[in-house]
Structure formats: C-alpha cells, structure tokens
Amino acid sequence: MQYSDRANAIAPFFAMAFGEKATALENKGHNVIRLNIGEPDFGAPPAVQQAMQQAVAENQLPYTGALGDMRLREAIAGFYQTQHNININPNRVIVTAGASAALLLTCAALVNPGDEVLMGDPSYPCNRQFVKTFGGKVNLVATGASSQFQLNNELVSAHWNANTKALMIATPSNPTGTAVTLDELDKMCAFAREQQAWRIIDEIYLDFSDHTPGPARSVLAVDDGAIVINSFSKFFGMTGWRLGWMIVPDDMVPVIERLAQNLYICPSTPAQLAALACFTPDTLALCEERRLSLLTRRNIVLNGLEKAGLTVPVAPSGAFYVYIDVASTGLSSMAFCEQLLSDTGVALTPGNDFGDKDADRYVRLSYATSEQNLHEGLARIQSFTASLSQDTTGNI
C-alpha cells in the first residue's frame, strides 16, 4: 500500500507526541506535570455544560446549516460589538468544527498549488501543514526577540515576492504569547492589501491578551476585509468540544459554505446549542476572572524560570505560553524535553514544533494549569537545571 506524498510529508506534532509519552509514564505510576499542551484547566463554564445536557436531553440534534446555527452566529457578532466595539453582520460569521476547520476552509478557498503564504517563525505548526496540504508553499520568515518573535511590516515587505498570495499572523501567538500592536498590524495588512493579497489573522488568544484598560483590539478595527480565525477552545475552555468560528468578507461566504457542506456537513449541533450560553453576562464575567487568574500564573512561571536559571527573551503579553531559551543548559530543545520528562516527570514542548530558526534552543511551557501544578513543576525544573549545572562543573 502506498500513501500519498501529502501524508508522508506531514511532520509529527511534538506537543501531542510528548503528551503521549507523559501518558505512558502515568500509566506506569509516575506523577507527571503536563506543561506541554495549551489546554485550559478551567473546562467549559458551568452554564455551557448545563446547556449541553439540556440539548442532549431534549434530542435537539439535527444537522444545522453548514455555516452554523444562525442564533450562534448572531451571538458571536454581538460578542464583537460588546467585547471589541466592532459591528459585524452575522452573515459574515461562520461557525466551524474547531478553529482547525476554519483554517482548513480558509486554505481550501484561497490556496492554489505554488501559491506562497507568508508567516513567522516561530508559529503554530499546523498552520504550515494546512497550506502544504493544498499545494501551497510556506514562506517562513525568521523572527527574534527584537521583533517580539512576531512579523512586522519591515520583515513582511522584505520577504514578499510575486508568488505571495496571503499573509498569516497569530496575535497573541502560540508558542510565544507575544502580540503585534494594532498599529503594526494595520501597516502589515495595508501592505498586503496593496499587493491584492489575503490577510489571515489568527485571534484565538485575542481575549487572553493584556488589554486593560479598554477592550482587546481585533484586526477588524483596522482591516474589515481580513479573514479572522477564532475558537471556543481557549477563552471559553471548550477544547474537546471542537467548535470555532471565522469572520470573512461578504463575497467569501458562499465559497466557504460550499466547502463546508462537502468537507464536514456542519459543526456539532449540541456543541453549538451549548455555546449559546457562552455569551451571557455571567459567563463572560467568569471568563474574565479566568483571564486575570492567568496573569498570576504567568508571574509564578516567570519567577520560577528565573530561579531555574532559564532565560525568557520576551515575556508574554497574552495567551498562556512562555518561550524559554535553554541553550545555557548545553542541551538541544529536544534533548532538554526528553530528559526533563524522563528525570522529573515534567512535560514541555520542544521548539522544533514551531519553526526552523533557533528551534533547537527554545522550549514552550504552557501555564494553562493549576497554580499547585505550576509550583511543583517549576520546583522540578529548578532541580533539573541545578543537576545539569553540577554535571557540567563536576561538583556533584
């Protein structure tokens, strides 16, 4: 049996692979602290869980339209009005089977073989795979601490070429937790528009950004024609529910509808019905409390990593990730993660997941877990780095 070149070319997702290794250790009786996966420990808000139970009990489970239940599309549009001060026609809101499906639909709609999509290094690995699946090429632009590990207009214009058809940016970013200022985002989008190129903006972590005072600022405030990707997984804690959304220009709606009809019929009906409860005042207030609690967790992590002698070149300003430089340990990122998990039971993700430039020197830590787990995990990391230092100096 021969598999497609497309399937054979897909690289493994190391964050998930280390999750499987962590599970194997747990099955052997080891206590594992999982700091490798971006999965909030809060879970779905209680009102959402209750709404799901009601939907199942009442057997309200027929297919919805491919673009999603109109009540939920209207609720999402209302969320942008109240949360981000942006007025959006609900017809432009498309509910998807997770943000992954939104990215899949976007690439299916826009990418032809040979088209280039420009994105930053480091960045979320699956985005590259979506582009490649449809025959596109990824123009992965190296970034660094000086640009907050994000693209800027100077980098975008310097790496643009005749085959570039789209610009893809995540802000705040996975894996670094850093964000692009709205002014810089405006400049990049304006440049791409001048080239008649698409702007694909991943705002999955937008509502976990540092935005006090005032609301978090969506790209739609400066570029109404941008394609926005978002998800119920992070801010609303609904990772396994597989529900997301996208906001697209008016003329793109029928294109996405045809693709969704054929690729997966519609998003999960019970998940959509339950998600209506996300947009009540009580649920939104709860989610805001959770966002603020992540700031406390971030401080715990940054202080703990400093005690461990590990460098964070750029402190995060959103999401729940820290991008850590482990070069001082003498280990590559992969070796660091392998040995840390084996010796201490702490799971991190190697930078090899997220790009090419300096991937061997960075690891990602997710602090989307309890403060107790963070304290314990960081204590183990501190002991681990201390042991590495002793091994190097010979003072054992």
Side-chain angles (χ1 to χ4, degrees):
M1 298 289 289
Q2 291 187 343
Y3 298 102
S4 68
D5 293 341
R6 179 186 309 109
N8 290 329
I10 293 289
F13 192 180
F14 293 114
M16 303 303 293
F18 273 86
E20 293 171 3
K21 292 179 181 181
T23 299
L25 282 177
E26 285 178 330
N27 291 339
K28 294 179 180 178
H30 295 275
N31 175 253
V32 175
I33 305 293
R34 295 174 181 264
L35 306 179
N36 60 310
I37 296 293
E39 184 168 34
D41 66 322
F42 309 120
V48 175
Q49 298 181 41
Q50 293 164 10
M52 170 64 88
Q53 293 171 354
Q54 181 179 352
V56 173
E58 295 179 359
N59 197 31
Q60 298 176 356
L61 307 178
Y63 294 129
T64 68
L67 300 180
D69 188 297
M70 195 62 202
R71 292 169 295 178
L72 184 56
R73 296 167 70 190
E74 291 172 347
I76 293 169
F79 177 71
Y80 277 83
Q81 180 68 62
T82 59
Q83 194 87 347
H84 303 295
N85 293 329
I86 296 173
N87 184 31
I88 297 171
N89 185 333
N91 290 330
R92 294 174 55 197
V93 178
I94 295 165
V95 183
T96 58
S100 295
L103 286 158
L104 177 72
L105 291 170
T106 298
C107 290
L110 305 181
V111 177
N112 282 317
D115 287 350
E116 283 194 4
V117 177
L118 194 151
M119 61 183 75
D121 175 354
S123 57
Y124 183 61
C126 298
N127 292 353
R128 302 193 294 275
Q129 305 304 339
F130 286 127
V131 172
K132 293 175 182 177
T133 293
F134 292 98
K137 297 180 179 179
V138 176
N139 186 350
L140 199 60
V141 178
T143 66
S146 62
S147 66
Q148 306 287 301
F149 292 109
Q150 288 279 8
L151 292 173
N152 56 33
N153 195 47
E154 181 180 357
L155 287 169
V156 168
S157 57
H159 289 85
W160 204 270
N161 65 64
N163 293 322
T164 307
K165 304 301 181 185
L167 169 67
M168 186 181 292
I169 297 171
T171 177
S173 163
N174 176 8
T176 65
T178 62
V180 181
T181 66
L182 191 64
D183 180 62
E184 195 65 33
L185 194 58
D186 186 12
K187 292 176 183 176
M188 287 188 281
C189 288
F191 175 85
R193 282 199 307 274
E194 290 173 1
Q195 318 306 315
Q196 298 185 323
W198 297 98
R199 292 81 60 207
I200 305 164
I201 312 299
D202 173 347
E203 293 186 343
I204 291 171
Y205 298 97
L206 176 64
D207 292 293
F208 273 147
S209 62
D210 297 352
H211 56 76
T212 303
R217 303 298 303 278
S218 168
V219 68
L220 294 172
V222 295
D223 185 356
D224 187 60
I227 298 166
V228 169
I229 309 294
N230 213 319
S231 173
F232 287 90
S233 290
K234 309 303 180 181
F235 188 63
F236 296 110
M238 297 169 62
T239 50
W241 299 58
R242 307 317 303 134
L243 200 64
W245 73 83
M246 58 195 300
I247 299 172
V248 303
D250 286 317
D251 59 359
M252 192 176 178
V253 173
V255 177
I256 296 296
E257 183 172 27
R258 293 196 302 271
L259 287 166
Q261 287 170 339
N262 284 277
L263 293 178
Y264 60 81
I265 309 297
C266 71
S268 162
T269 299
Q272 290 187 74
L273 294 173
L276 288 167
C278 288
F279 302 106
T280 65
D282 287 347
T283 297
L284 290 174
L286 173 63
C287 291
E288 176 62 11
E289 289 176 12
R290 292 174 170 184
R291 182 185 74 84
L292 294 175
S293 75
L294 288 174
L295 301 181
T296 301
R297 298 182 188 189
R298 182 196 300 172
N299 290 333
I300 291 171
V301 169
L302 293 176
N303 291 334
L305 292 173
E306 184 178 4
K307 291 177 182 178
L310 296 174
T311 301
V312 178
V314 183
S317 56
F320 35 67
Y321 303 111
V322 177
Y323 209 47
I324 309 164
D325 188 342
V326 298
S328 62
T329 67
L331 297 175
S332 69
S333 60
M334 188 69 74
F336 184 93
C337 290
E338 291 274 10
Q339 192 170 333
L340 179 69
L341 181 59
S342 175
D343 292 358
T344 74
V346 175
L348 300 179
T349 302
N352 307 77
D353 248 350
F354 306 108
D356 299 325
K357 183 178 184 293
D358 295 331
D360 278 338
R361 69 181 297 158
Y362 289 106
V363 301
R364 188 195 72 177
L365 180 152
S366 166
Y367 53 90
T369 188
S370 70
E371 292 184 21
Q372 179 181 350
N373 278 346
L374 290 175
H375 282 298
E376 174 61 26
L378 288 161
R380 296 184 194 183
I381 292 172
Q382 289 162 18
S383 296
F384 177 70
T385 56
S387 70
L388 292 176
S389 178
Q390 289 173 347
D391 289 344
T392 300
T393 62
N395 297 319
I396 299 175

